Amino acid sequence: MAVYNQVETREAPSNSKGMVHWLRTNLFSTPLNSAMTILGIAFLFWVIPPFIKWSIIDANFAGSTRADCTGDGACWVFVRAKMDMFMYGFYPEVERWRIHLTYALFFVVIATFRYLKQAMPKIIIATIYFIIAFVLIRGGFFGLETIDTNKWGGLMLTIVVASVGIVCSFPLGIILAFGRASKLPIIKSVSVTYIEFIRGVPLITILFMSSVILPLFFPEGVTFDKLLRALIGITLFQAAYIAEVIRGGLQSISSGQYEAADAVGLSYWQKMLLVILPQALKVAIPNLVGSFIALFQDTTLVLIIGLFDLLAMVQVTGSDSHWLGFETEGYVFVTLIFWVFCYSMSVYSKSLEKRFNTNLK
Amino acid sequence: MDNKNDVIEIKNLNKWYGDFHVLKDINLSVKKGEIIVVAGPSGSGKSTLIRCINYLEQFQEGQIVVNDVELTDDVKKIKAIREDVAMVFQHFNLFPHLSILDNLTLAPIWVKNTPKKEAINTAMEFLERVGIADQAKKYPNQLSGGQQQRVAIARSLCKNPSIMLFDEPTSALDPEMISEVLDVMIELAQEHRTMVCVTHEMGFAKKVADRVIFMEAGQIIEENTPEEFFENPQSDRLKLFLSQILSH
C-alpha cells in the first residue's frame, strides 16, 4: 500500500522549446531533411536575387514613353502607361467613378456582414448590392449613361465575371447537392446527370457553346449579350463543382444530426437549412474557397470568346506598336494582381473557419 | 381492447432491414404516465422499437397508434406525433453549430412559432432544472458528456412532450457522469410523464419503472413489474441475462 503526494506542475525543459529546438525539429531533423533544407536555400539564392535585380534595381519606374526605359531591367513604365486598360478596359474615363463606387460599396457590405448574425439579412443585402452594382456599372437608369458590355474589360471585367460566377453558382450548387442527396429518385437522377455531364465537359467547350452554338437556336434578330452568355455558362459550369464540394460537406454530417432534427419536429427544409447546411458549409469552407479561387483563374478563358479580361489586356496592350516587346512586364504585373486576389480569398476563408469554429474552449 | 388510457399502442409490429427480421410480432401498450424500461442484449431490436414510435424508422407490418393518431407515411401525422413525442439519444445529437440556448429554442421558434423571448424563457427554465443554466451561451463541444446529455434532455422538454423516449441515454457516458443524467431522468419519472427508456441501468429500472420489458432477437420475451422481473424471472434467457449483468 502506498499513497503519493500531488506533484507540482513545472515548466518544460529549455531544450524542448525555442529557436534552436524549432530549427532542429523542423529543418534539420534527419540527414535527408538537412540536405533538402540546404538545397532549398540554395535554390532561393539562385532565383530571388536576379529577379529583384530585374524587377527593382535595374528597372525603370518613371516616365511615360518607351524612351524612358533605359535600364537592363523591367520597364514598369509600360504598365504605368497602360494602367487604365489593365483596370477598366475600354470603359469611358469620365464614367469610371461608377466602378470605384461599386468597389467601395463592396467593402461597406463586407463590413456590415461582420455585424449580422442571421443569414437572411445578409442574403437580402447582398442581393440589393448586386442590383445597385449592375445599375451603376451598366447604367441605363436614373440618367446614367449605358456603357455596353463590349467596353468592359481588364480587372473590372475579371471581377464582374468571377463575382457573378461565385454568387450565382453558390445557391445553385447547394440546390444540386441537396438534389443529389435526395431520396426522391427523379430529383436525384436529374441532379446526378447534370453534375456528371457538366463535370465531363471542359469550361472552354461550355463557353464556346454559349457564345457560338446557342445563338443558332435563337430566332433571327434576337441577340443576347455576349457577356451575359458567358456568365450563364460559367455559372452553370461552376455550380456542378460547388455541388460536389457541398456534397462532401453533407456526407460529413452524422445521421444523428438528421435524426435529432426530425425528432424535434423540424420539416425537411428547416432541417436542411437550419441544421445540416450550416454544418456542411463549415466543413466545406476550405474546398469551397479552393473552387472559387480556381473559378477566379478560369475567368481568363473568356478571352477565347472575345471578352478582354485582365489577362487578355496583356495581349491587347502588348500589340500596341509603340510598346512592342513588353509582355513580360505585363504578365508579371497581372500575376501579382491575380495572386493578391486569390491570396485574399484564402485569408478570408481562414478567418471564416476561425469564426465558425465552435469547438474551442 | 382499446383502452382510453393508452397513449402508445403497438400491434403486431414487424420490421425488416433488407432480409433481416429485426422486430417480430411486437405487441405493447403504454398507459398515460407509465414508465417503461426496455432491456435486452445488444442487437435485440430495442432501440429500433422505440425509434419506430416517432417514425425515425419505418416498418413494414403492424400498427402504431400514438395519442390516437395512427402512424403512416402521411407527413402531417408524423409531424403531429413528433410534436408530442420527444427523444433523447445515446450520442446526445446536440447541434454543434448552435449555442446551448439556441439548441433549445430552435424547434419552439421554427416549429411552434413561439415568440423568441418566450422560447428563451422556457429554455432557461429547463436549463435551470437540469442544472446547466450558467452554460447557456457555450457550445455543445465545450461541455462534458453528462452536461451535453442533460442539455439534450432539456431540449426535448422544451416542446412539453407528453411522451419521452430514451435511447440508451447513459451508454456513451464516462462512468462518473452517469448518475447526473439518471438523477434528471428520475426526477422526470416522478412527474408522471410517459417514458419509454431503453437502458442498461437496472438500478434505474428498479427504482422508477412501472414495467420492465425484456427483448431478445426482435421479440418481447418477458414483461413484468420490476420486483417480479428481477426477483422472479420466468424465462431461461432472462435469467441468464440478469446473471450476466448483475453478477458483479
Side-chain angles (χ1 to χ4, degrees), chain B residues 16-238:
Chain B
W16 289 262
Y17 283 128
D19 281 333
F20 179 57
H21 198 170
V22 59
L23 292 176
K24 299 170 187 160
D25 294 336
I26 303 283
N27 284 289
L28 176 69
S29 37
V30 181
K31 289 192 185 58
K32 192 168 190 318
E34 218 178 356
I35 317 288
I36 308 274
V37 165
V38 184
S42 342
S44 59
K46 41 192 200 313
S47 286
T48 311
L49 172 62
I50 69 161
R51 287 156 58 89
C52 283
I53 297 173
N54 67 348
Y55 214 65
L56 286 184
E57 299 280 354
Q58 298 170 19
F59 48 89
Q60 287 87 351
E61 278 178 17
Q63 197 187 27
I64 298 180
V65 180
V66 180
N67 286 335
D68 299 325
V69 180
E70 190 188 339
L71 262 184
T72 58
D73 51 14
D74 178 351
V75 182
K76 275 188 193 145
K77 286 184 178 171
I78 295 171
K79 192 171 185 261
I81 284 170
R82 282 178 180 164
E83 280 192 20
D84 216 25
V85 179
M87 184 172 239
V88 175
F89 298 88
Q90 181 178 0
H91 295 288
F92 335 131
N93 295 349
L94 295 176
F95 305 130
H97 62 300
L98 300 176
S99 70
I100 300 301
L101 187 59
D102 290 342
N103 261 277
L104 268 69
T105 56
L106 184 74
I109 289 173
W110 289 90
V111 180
K112 294 207 164 167
N113 294 318
T114 314
K116 198 173 174 187
K117 225 175 167 180
E118 195 186 320
I120 290 175
N121 287 338
T122 317
M124 288 309 292
E125 240 167 71
F126 283 114
L127 283 177
E128 200 81 56
R129 279 194 50 185
V130 300
I132 321 229
D134 52 334
Q135 320 267 19
K137 291 271 180 287
K138 288 195 176 173
Y139 287 92
N141 290 334
Q142 296 170 289
L143 269 52
S144 73
Q147 290 174 323
Q148 289 192 46
Q149 193 60 297
R150 285 187 280 152
V151 171
I153 294 174
R155 177 174 72 179
S156 70
L157 286 169
C158 272
K159 58 182 172 182
N160 196 21
S162 69
I163 300 167
M164 296 193 71
L165 308 172
F166 289 84
D167 187 4
E168 304 201 25
T170 56
S171 301
L173 294 174
D174 291 337
E176 74 264 31
M177 293 169 183
I178 291 176
S179 67
E180 64 187 69
V181 171
L182 287 180
D183 288 345
V184 171
M185 289 171 65
I186 290 168
E187 214 178 286
L188 290 177
Q190 285 157 354
E191 287 174 8
H192 303 293
R193 260 178 224 272
T194 313
M195 287 166 70
V196 181
C197 315
V198 171
T199 182
H200 298 294
E201 300 298 331
M202 292 303 133
F204 173 78
K206 280 181 192 166
K207 203 166 190 173
V208 299
D210 295 308
R211 257 190 299 161
V212 185
I213 284 163
F214 178 66
M215 281 184 78
E216 210 216 356
Q219 271 180 286
I220 295 180
I221 306 276
E222 210 166 320
E223 181 184 331
N224 222 326
T225 59
E227 297 80 31
E228 287 293 302
F229 187 90
F230 292 106
E231 303 303 327
N232 193 14
Q234 301 295 309
S235 61
D236 291 343
R237 190 60 195 87
L238 177 56

Side-chain angles (χ1 to χ4, degrees), chain A residues 3 15 18 21 34 36 52 100 117 155 158 160 203 206 211 230 289 303 309 312 327 331 333 342 353:
Chain A
V3 178
N15 64 358
H21 173 74
S34 307
M36 301 269 275
I52 290 176
H100 301 152
K117 272 201 154 171
L155 178 63
T158 297
V160 166
L203 179 57
I206 290 175
S211 87
V289 175
L303 165 69
D309 75 314
E327 276 101 340
Y331 283 122
F333 173 67
C342 294
E353 274 175 67

Side-chain angles (χ1 to χ4, degrees), chain A residues 34-51:
Chain A
S34 307
M36 301 269 275
T37 301
I38 290 163
L39 268 177
I41 292 170
F43 177 76
L44 293 179
F45 265 103
W46 180 56
V47 173
I48 292 177
F51 182 74

